Structures are given as C-alpha cells and as structure tokens.
Amino acid sequence: MKRPLRALAAAGLLAAGAIVAVALGGTASADTQICEQYGSTTIGGKYVVQNNRWGTSAQQCINVTSTGFSITRQDGVGSTSGAPVSYPSIFVGCHYTNCSPGTNLPVQVKNISSAPASISYNYVSGAIYDAAYDIWLDPSPKKDGVNQMEIMIWLNRQGPIQPIGSPVGNASIAGRTWEVWRGSNGSNNVISYVAPSAIPSMSFDAMAFINDTKNRGAITSDWYLTSIQAGFEPWQGGVGLAVNSFSQSVNTGGTTPPPATTPPPGNAACSVKYTTNVWNNGFTADVTVTNTGSSTVNGWTLNYNLPSGQTITGSWNATVTQSGSAVTARNLSYNGTLAPGASTSFGYQATLSGGFSTPSSFSLNGSTCTKV
C-alpha cells in the first residue's frame, strides 16, 4: 500500500548534513537529495522520482540522478510480518495528483498497443526488501487516491517477506516463470508476480502482465492504466539500493484484441475434481481438469451450473464468466494444451447465500466429464 504524495513546504536546507529537500514539482539535476517524507522531483523531462516514506516516521533520503535514484539513508524498521516502511520509486503517469511531465496516462487498456519497459537495479546484501515494478489500474481515469488494482512485479526478494495474499499458481511471461500471488490489502486488490531469483535488469512489454491480469478476470479492457512505477519496498536497511535506469513508454492506437477462440466440440474425455473451502457467506473453489482421453486437447472450455445463491467474484488461471447459474471457464494462453493424462487447475472466489452444494455435472468442449 502506498500513501499519498502531499503538498510540501518549499525546498530548504536540513540541519543534519545540509541535505537539499526537494518539494513537489521540482526538477532534479544530478545528485539532488530528497529527504522530505513525500518529496518528489522530475528527471529527463518525463519521469517523477518520489521518496514516499509512508510507513514510518523515521528518516529516509534518496539521491536523485539524471537516470534514477539510490537510497542514501533509511532509518525505518518494519515488521517482516507486516507492511514495508516506504516505496521510493520513479514513475510515469499520475500518482495522487502528481503527474509526470507530458504523460498520456490515464488511458484505457483497450487503446494501448504496447508498453515497452526497461529497468536496471543495484542490489545490496544485509537488508530486507523487495524490488518492485508497480502497475496501477482503475475502472475510471483516476489521477488521485487509491486505484482498485495493483500489479506488482517482484524482480528481487530478500528476507522473510511475502506478497499480499497467497500463491495461486505460476505464469510464463516475458520469457520467465513467475510465482503468482493474489489478495487484497484492504484498500485495493493486488496480483504479484514473483521472480524465483534476483533479476538485476530486464526489458519487457508491461502489457504482457496487464493482459495476464485481465485474463484472470481481475480487470477488463475498459479499465484505465494510471501509472507505472519502479522502486523498492524496504522493511529493514536498504542503503545503496538503486534504480540505475528506468525507461517506460505507453503506446496507444492499438488494435482491438481478437475474439476468444471457440474450441472444437466433442472428442474430449475428461474428469473434474472440484475442491472447496466454504465459510458462512462465501467460498473458494479449486477445479482440476484432466484429459482422460487418448488425444491432445488444444484449447478447452468447461461448462457447468452453480447451485442457487452462488456468485463468482474473481478467478485465476482461467477466464471464468457467469450468466445466471451457468458458468463458462476458458483456458488462458499458457494452459490450453492438455496431452492425454495431463491436468490443469483454475480457481475462483464466490459469495454464498443459503446452503452450500457443489455442481452436479461438468462438460469439456461439449463432452460430459466424470466428477471425481
């Protein structure tokens, strides 16, 4: 969770070390220091660098260069079972009314053709932190306040910390495998993509992560991309952590995504295992689909009906839609092929009114499945 940038006092000298504190709206030259709690400045005529010390009253300072920043002081100490103490970062777009120069954000996802990104980090030892690339989205073109969806790309994780929520599977994006976590911090929903080992630099299209989040049913193409940020969430220590360079563009005028491919009917012998965790007014379901036939399934659609009083609110590892009681679950780009004997799983969360029961039958590509 990141707290708002605020209107700050004019720049001045701090008693300790005579460090220059840059207020909102400033422009940085090389080696500009920011120690103000929510201080920020612009670089390259395109990006905003922000201190954003939201989780502690202890001092934090960053050194802003012409291409990025480094943490020069970090006195805060956060519990590893709780939130980090800050999120010093560099960004494009709008964050709590602070918009980067000349930005074309917010812009609807359906109008974005690509979002080429490049990041280079400097890591240190002996600290507890994550290096996070943050993507913020909202149903409205929001320039102030909390957005409803946060995508976090963890390129490095040091210490006994974990993303918000719980793991829901893996994803292959930008030529790498990521562990996917999903949850909410109480203010916004979060999907995190966690690298299994530290990535010091990376060039990729941020739309690959946005599209995966969309395929999980967390957003739609009508939502707005509001900002993209790169920085660090320190819990303890972190002096020397740096964003050496950051490049992010958002190209518009893209094409409308093609319609979903309808798999061929029939020829799909299958079994379905339906596992649930139920509480008084809701439940989660884990659905495992197995190809029990002798031919490979290339693209699958699972159909079934939910009992009365059950309404799906979110899903993962499949595109799941509900119309009345009828549910349709379609594969994503990475799990559409099922060789004979192979399985894939997806899941969802739902609200519950009344007594609980499970679906009575399932069909895969038009063929009835065995319920196990």
Side-chain angles (χ1 to χ4, degrees), residues 193-266:
Y193 299 87
V194 182
S197 59
I199 301 173
S201 63
M202 182 175 169
S203 295
F204 61 102
D205 187 346
M207 282 302 296
F209 292 91
I210 293 174
N211 286 332
D212 185 78
T213 297
K214 181 180 67 174
N215 289 338
R216 294 173 187 274
I219 65 168
T220 73
S221 295
D222 290 326
W223 281 45
Y224 289 81
L225 171 63
T226 63
S227 70
I228 299 179
Q229 312 170 359
F232 300 95
E233 290 187 319
W235 272 258
Q236 299 173 21
V239 171
L241 292 172
V243 171
N244 299 319
S245 62
F246 171 80
S247 175
Q248 180 68 66
S249 298
V250 178
N251 300 319
T252 57
T255 58
T256 303
T261 301
T262 302

Side-chain angles (χ1 to χ4, degrees), residues 15 30-31 79 90 94 96 98 146 149 232 287 290 342 354 372:
D31 299 323
S79 169
I90 180 172
C94 295
Y96 287 93
N98 191 13
V146 178
M149 187 70 229
F232 300 95
V287 186
T290 302
V372 297

Side-chain angles (χ1 to χ4, degrees), residues 4-225:
L5 298 168
R6 299 176 182 174
L8 302 171
L13 294 178
L14 297 181
I19 298 173
V20 177
V22 179
L24 277 175
T27 301
S29 58
D31 299 323
T32 298
Q33 297 278 333
I34 302 178
C35 295
E36 288 279 1
Q37 183 174 9
Y38 298 109
S40 74
T41 190
T42 62
I43 63 173
K46 182 178 180 180
Y47 305 113
V48 174
V49 179
Q50 59 177 348
N51 197 27
N52 202 6
R53 178 170 49 88
W54 63 267
T56 179
S57 59
Q59 185 74 288
Q60 175 179 281
C61 297
I62 60 174
N63 180 71
V64 183
T65 71
S66 59
T67 60
F69 71 91
S70 61
I71 300 176
T72 56
R73 180 173 178 176
Q74 206 294 98
D75 297 340
V77 177
S79 169
T80 56
S81 62
V85 298
S86 63
Y87 183 55
S89 60
I90 180 172
F91 73 86
V92 292
C94 295
H95 182 75
Y96 287 93
T97 72
N98 191 13
C99 295
S100 58
T103 184
N104 60 346
L105 303 180
V107 65
Q108 280 184 297
V109 170
K110 64 184 178 184
N111 293 326
I112 301 173
S113 55
S114 63
S118 180
I119 184 72
S120 172
Y121 286 107
N122 182 68
Y123 299 136
V124 298
S125 59
I128 298 175
Y129 65 91
D130 67 69
Y133 211 95
D134 258 23
I135 302 172
W136 290 92
L137 302 112
D138 196 81
S140 65
K142 200 165 191 176
K143 296 183 180 181
D144 187 16
V146 178
N147 286 194
Q148 290 190 25
M149 187 70 229
E150 179 183 13
I151 300 171
M152 297 193 74
I153 307 169
W154 283 28
L155 284 84
N156 191 5
R157 170 172 53 171
Q158 295 297 315
I161 56 175
Q162 66 182 41
I164 290 168
S166 56
V168 295
N170 295 289
S172 179
I173 304 174
R176 300 175 184 270
T177 299
W178 309 83
E179 185 180 50
V180 184
W181 291 61
R182 190 164 182 170
S184 172
N185 61 22
S187 298
N188 56 268
N189 295 320
V190 186
I191 291 181
S192 301
Y193 299 87
V194 182
S197 59
I199 301 173
S201 63
M202 182 175 169
S203 295
F204 61 102
D205 187 346
M207 282 302 296
F209 292 91
I210 293 174
N211 286 332
D212 185 78
T213 297
K214 181 180 67 174
N215 289 338
R216 294 173 187 274
I219 65 168
T220 73
S221 295
D222 290 326
W223 281 45
Y224 289 81
L225 171 63

